[in-house]
Amino acid sequence: MSLEPNSILETLNKIWREELDNESIVLNDSTTASDIEDWDSITNIQLVVATEKFYKIRFTAAEISGFKNVGEMVRCIKKKVG
Amino acid sequence: MLFNSLKFLIFFPVVVGVYFLLPHKWRWAWLLGMSSVFYMAFVPVYILILGFTIVIDYFAGIFIERSTKWKRPFLIMSLIANIGVLAVFKYYNFLTENINLLLHTSGVTDSIPLLSILLPIGLSFHTFQAMSYTIEVYRGNQKAERHFGIYALYVMFFPQLVAGPIERPQNIIHQFHEKHFFVPQNVLDGIRQMLWGFFKKVVIADRLSLYVDPVFNDYHSFHFLNILIACGFFAFQIYADFSGYSDIALGSAKILGFDLMINFNRPYASKSITEFWRRWHISLSSWFNDYLFQPLMIGARNWGRFGTAFSLFFTFFLAGLWHGAGWTFIIYGSLHGIALVYEFYTKKFRKNLSKKIPSFFYQNVSLLLTFGFVSIAMIFFRAHTFADAFGMINNIFSMNNSNTYKWVVGAGELTFNHFSWAISGFCLLLLFITEKFTSPDLKSLNKFPRIDISLGIIVFTLILIGGVFNQSSFIYFQF
């Protein structure tokens, strides 16, 4: 499992596409929920759970509510796995 | 003080005039003083309740920020103080009545005494706004406010003190520190939004209430079509009443140079209940989302889809209770909770269905079903008792026609007559068209000055000829 930020972003991209059933999703560091249709407060937690399962990590409640964009999540994953 | 009163018509220009004449360093004191006058026009002594929570939350904010070890206890202390005030003044009697009922049914003759107190106006709004502050300081999203007067003003700012929008500290506190100049464009935008709010309140909401009140007060005497129309009218009445209040709040704050958050965005254009709650009372639904639903979902995320369904239902159960201490409000919230759980579980099915059915048909049926559900659920919001609500729903669905249908409803000066039908029909059409093109804040009218002026004249004329000037309170004041 590569932990380069770009590789994490690619993995998240796959998870997002699968969970939101939308093949056109392209994530980058500054992507937020408002940029993607169907990414709302409910699906957000499904995305978090799928990410946790894939990387076998556990985010804290403060981390989850503190993510401002995808980039912050990528950095948090890198810190936890690396 | 009511926005739709003569007192406010004198109060507000004086507040604005003196505010801009005063040097910046004294303006907070003027606004705080005038906000106290505004609040004390209802029950003066209740300002002590506000004072109590303001002092607690002001110090809690500072201690939460300074401490590392005691952050959480100080937050919990602040939450207990706010919820405690709500519990005593709003929920004590409801809880006690139900406990007494349980005791009596199990043979106990003694009763726990009830409190003889009036509900302080806007209590649910300002306690929620206060809790938002300490939670955001705890989360590190807001610096603790050191200026006591500015913090007090955050809770007491008169445009949104008694019926919202329930502001967030990040949006408003910094605005109290900034210097605001007299900007003619702000005055124009503010007056336009206030006029629109007055129009919605006195022409639409208060006129529709002439039909709604007699039917809800004595539904046994009405044909099922009268009851059905009253339910639809109530949905429009409460929207015009509450969003009208928000318009006046946003407009009056704008004139003073402040931007409050948008509270409504054409909720009846929603095609699902999920969408409805993104458009209706946005400051409350986002409050529940940020401070209850999200933490619940995060905590229950290992429960899978059931965790989400549980969090949705529980959040809306409490949102119902937020509105009022009564079973009818709990049912109102729970019905919305059940609808949201249904939408959560059927999301994929509905998405696939929408691809198979012509879009125009699917969208419009969804819109009608959503409005129908919202109107029926609102029977519980408006009905006096649980039995009344069920009786009305039963009469609608069994098409009870034991009474004759009445075109004219009410009696004396408070009759909903043919003039009311005509004026309400025209004004609802005007509301629909105007908000379709200008929602959420009418500012897009700045690009079309001729339409802007014409609409202003029409609305002003409609207020004069179609307004119901009985200075009735705003529905949400009771919360």
Side-chain angles (χ1 to χ4, degrees):
Chain A
M1 187 189 304
S2 170
L3 292 175
E4 286 306 308
N6 278 346
S7 166
I8 296 175
L9 196 62
E10 265 178 43
T11 306
L12 293 187
N13 210 74
K14 274 185 202 161
I15 293 172
W16 258 239
R17 285 182 177 190
E18 202 170 302
E19 290 294 321
L20 300 180
D21 194 20
N22 182 351
E23 285 303 310
S24 64
I25 290 173
V26 181
L27 298 179
N28 60 51
D29 274 0
S30 58
T31 307
T32 64
S34 58
D35 301 322
I36 293 177
E37 198 192 342
D38 285 342
W39 182 2
D40 55 25
S41 54
I42 295 174
T43 49
N44 185 53
I45 210 72
Q46 292 169 338
L47 296 166
V48 166
V49 170
T51 308
E52 284 180 330
K53 267 188 189 164
F54 183 87
Y55 284 104
K56 297 185 177 62
I57 54 171
R58 183 97 176 148
F59 296 115
T60 65
E63 283 165 348
I64 296 170
S65 48
F67 293 141
K68 300 272 188 291
N69 53 37
V70 171
E72 288 192 9
M73 195 176 192
V74 169
R75 284 188 285 281
C76 186
I77 293 168
K78 190 168 165 46
K79 212 167 80 183
K80 279 181 184 288
V81 182
Chain B
M1 191 182 303
L2 293 172
F3 279 163
N4 54 332
S5 67
L6 198 61
K7 268 188 201 168
F8 185 75
L9 274 183
I10 299 162
F11 170 86
F12 185 63
V14 172
V15 171
V16 174
V18 176
Y19 174 80
F20 283 114
L21 287 173
L22 280 172
H24 170 66
K25 63 177 179 177
W26 293 115
R27 286 180 179 176
W28 67 268
W30 172 248
L31 284 183
L32 186 59
M34 289 301 101
S35 296
S36 305
V37 170
F38 183 88
Y39 186 80
M40 288 167 78
F42 299 107
V43 182
V45 73
Y46 279 168
I47 200 153
L48 296 174
I49 301 169
L50 266 171
F52 168 74
T53 54
I54 285 169
V55 170
I56 297 253
D57 294 326
Y58 169 75
F59 286 109
I62 293 171
F63 292 140
I64 288 168
E65 189 178 72
R66 276 187 187 165
S67 171
T68 44
K69 204 173 159 190
W70 294 89
K71 254 181 188 318
R72 190 179 276 259
F74 280 122
L75 173 68
I76 292 169
M77 183 197 73
S78 155
L79 298 182
I80 288 175
N82 287 289
I83 295 170
V85 167
L86 264 178
V88 171
F89 286 92
K90 188 162 178 173
Y91 298 106
Y92 173 83
N93 281 351
F94 172 64
L95 192 68
T96 308
E97 276 167 5
N98 282 282
I99 292 171
N100 283 340
L101 196 69
L102 268 176
L103 290 175
H104 294 166
T105 49
S106 54
V108 180
T109 49
D110 289 339
S111 296
I112 305 169
L114 298 176
L115 291 175
S116 169
I117 43 172
L118 266 176
L119 178 67
I121 206 148
L123 185 68
S124 302
F125 288 93
H126 62 73
T127 48
F128 267 47
Q129 183 157 318
M131 284 192 278
S132 169
Y133 169 77
T134 44
I135 295 171
E136 292 298 349
V137 172
Y138 176 81
R139 289 180 173 179
N141 298 328
Q142 171 67 37
K143 284 180 80 174
E145 178 56 53
R146 295 305 199 268
H147 191 306
F148 182 77
I150 297 282
Y151 176 71
L153 188 54
Y154 161 72
V155 179
M156 292 188 61
F157 187 41
F158 75 85
Q160 39 88 236
L161 170 59
V162 290
I166 303 167
E167 271 296 346
R168 301 304 159 80
Q170 300 97 309
N171 180 42
I172 192 80
I173 287 183
H174 70 91
Q175 295 189 53
F176 292 127
H177 285 284
E178 289 157 9
K179 187 170 182 178
H180 298 281
F181 297 95
F182 183 84
V183 180
Q185 188 60 52
N186 283 350
V187 177
L188 185 68
D189 288 344
I191 288 176
R192 183 196 295 120
Q193 197 159 7
M194 287 179 83
L195 190 67
W196 188 244
F198 283 121
F199 164 70
K200 286 203 273 191
K201 169 64 179 162
V202 300
V203 187
I204 299 179
D206 288 352
R207 186 157 296 278
L208 290 179
S209 77
L210 301 181
Y211 192 102
V212 171
D213 290 350
V215 177
F216 271 80
N217 289 342
D218 184 24
Y219 76 93
H220 297 283
S221 314
F222 288 93
H223 190 271
F224 83 93
L225 275 177
N226 283 116
I227 301 174
L228 190 66
I229 292 168
C231 293
F233 274 7
F234 181 64
F236 286 113
Q237 182 200 342
I238 194 166
Y239 169 66
D241 189 284
F242 192 20
S243 72
Y245 181 91
S246 288
D247 283 328
I248 301 168
L250 266 74
S252 48
K254 187 72 195 173
I255 291 172
L256 292 161
F258 298 92
D259 288 310
L260 300 182
M261 71 185 288
I262 299 290
N263 217 11
F264 290 89
N265 187 11
R266 299 180 65 230
Y268 296 144
S270 307
K271 295 173 190 80
S272 67
I273 300 301
T274 311
E275 187 185 354
F276 175 78
W277 282 102
R278 287 192 195 119
R279 292 169 172 270
W280 174 272
H281 202 178
I282 298 164
S283 65
L284 179 74
S285 53
S286 60
W287 195 102
F288 273 107
N289 180 57
D290 293 350
Y291 306 130
L292 181 66
F293 179 63
Q294 289 290 333
L296 269 177
M297 283 238 297
I298 291 169
R301 67 189 190 272
N302 289 342
W303 300 0
R305 289 164 74 79
F306 175 75
T308 306
F310 168 78
S311 307
L312 271 172
F313 180 79
F314 187 67
T315 301
F316 275 84
F317 173 87
L318 286 187
L321 196 59
W322 176 90
H323 284 87
W327 286 105
T328 48
F329 290 109
I330 291 174
I331 295 292
Y332 169 73
S334 300
L335 284 173
H336 277 274
I338 291 167
L340 289 161
V341 170
Y342 162 79
E343 288 184 357
F344 168 64
Y345 276 111
T346 59
K347 194 173 177 183
K348 269 195 176 165
F349 165 76
R350 287 180 297 113
K351 199 173 177 181
N352 291 335
L353 188 68
S354 70
K355 287 173 189 163
K356 291 174 189 160
I357 295 175
S359 173
F360 176 80
F361 182 75
Y362 184 83
Q363 300 291 331
N364 283 297
V365 169
S366 302
L367 190 130
L368 283 175
L369 283 175
T370 304
F371 180 73
F373 175 84
V374 168
S375 306
I376 293 290
M378 273 180 182
I379 295 178
F380 287 93
F381 192 104
R382 174 64 179 78
H384 298 294
T385 64
F386 206 54
D388 278 359
F390 272 115
M392 289 178 77
I393 292 170
N394 185 40
N395 280 9
I396 291 171
F397 286 101
S398 63
M399 297 186 177
N400 186 331
N401 56 4
S402 52
N403 296 294
T404 51
Y405 174 76
K406 299 178 184 79
W407 275 106
V408 174
V409 171
E413 277 181 32
L414 302 176
T415 304
F416 192 90
N417 50 22
H418 294 99
F419 172 74
S420 292
W421 272 104
I423 201 110
S424 299
F426 179 75
C427 291
L428 284 173
L429 189 66
L430 184 67
L431 177 79
F432 170 77
I433 294 169
T434 307
E435 295 203 339
K436 183 174 170 62
F437 294 104
T438 64
S439 192
D441 58 9
L442 302 151
K443 278 184 196 154
S444 54
L445 282 169
N446 283 323
K447 290 181 218 151
F448 309 99
R450 281 186 187 170
I451 297 175
D452 194 10
I453 293 168
S454 311
L455 186 67
I457 293 168
I458 292 169
V459 164
F460 189 70
T461 312
L462 283 168
I463 291 173
L464 292 181
I465 62 167
V468 177
F469 296 101
N470 54 1
Q471 291 192 14
S472 68
S473 180
F474 288 84
I475 294 169
Y476 265 71
F477 270 29
Q478 62 186 300
F479 309 133

